[in-house]
Amino acid sequence: MILQNVPLEYCHSNILPSLIQNIGSFSFDCRKEISLIYAILLRRKIGTREPTIDYLNKNPHIIHLLCDGYNQPEAAVFVGSMLRESLKHESLASILLDYKNFFSFFKYVQMQNFDIASDAFSNFRVN
């Protein structure tokens, strides 16, 4: 994998929360790239370790930021994609289920904007 030898600076610099919080202010292509990088980081393994999963488990507020990202219409589809990637990991899914705003998903699936509503609903179908 390309990122095999990249140091874990993204963990030490807290760049993931900053990117997620400000994703709506980036261009469309940049939002796409951020969600792609996030997915790549989630799949990254060093031996048997999954450093990004470990980092997210220690920093559950990042998963919470993804959930709350549906409040930004211009970023909702991208944070939804990132959240779906996260939900493929049981430990990260449990963080979302324990989140006090988890039930806001039921509000998101009923939004007037079809793209946001269908994206939010698709998180319930993640394997």
Side-chain angles (χ1 to χ4, degrees):
M1 180 175 271
I2 295 171
L3 294 176
Q4 191 67 23
N5 297 318
V6 174
L8 300 176
E9 282 304 312
Y10 64 92
C11 295
H12 303 298
S13 65
N14 279 332
I15 194 151
L16 284 179
S18 296
L19 287 173
I20 294 167
Q21 285 176 322
N22 298 303
I23 196 168
S25 62
F26 293 106
S27 70
F28 178 84
D29 288 334
C30 194
R31 287 180 234 160
K32 231 171 32 174
E33 294 295 325
I34 291 169
S35 64
L36 178 63
I37 290 168
Y38 183 83
I40 291 169
L41 289 173
L42 279 179
R43 291 185 204 113
R44 181 171 187 229
K45 290 186 179 190
I46 299 174
T48 59
R49 287 184 49 243
E50 295 177 309
T52 306
I53 306 302
D54 296 340
Y55 171 71
L56 293 172
N57 279 315
K58 292 177 186 167
N59 296 282
H61 69 282
I62 297 173
I63 300 299
H64 301 165
L65 288 172
L66 289 173
C67 179
D68 295 339
Y70 279 105
N71 292 320
Q72 303 177 54
E74 64 282 349
V77 175
F78 300 98
V79 295
S81 165
M82 296 162 75
L83 190 58
R84 267 188 302 289
E85 286 296 320
S86 301
L87 294 176
K88 292 177 182 176
H89 303 273
E90 186 176 335
S91 62
L92 300 180
S94 69
I95 291 171
L96 180 64
L97 292 173
D98 290 338
Y99 182 41
K100 63 180 173 134
N101 289 344
F102 170 73
F103 290 102
S104 60
F105 263 102
F106 297 105
K107 176 183 79 172
Y108 301 142
V109 298
Q110 296 177 15
M111 291 184 90
Q112 293 287 334
N113 184 321
F114 176 77
D115 291 334
I116 295 173
S118 63
D119 190 87
F121 186 74
S122 66
N123 282 316
F124 287 113
R125 296 181 305 187
V126 173
N127 297 337

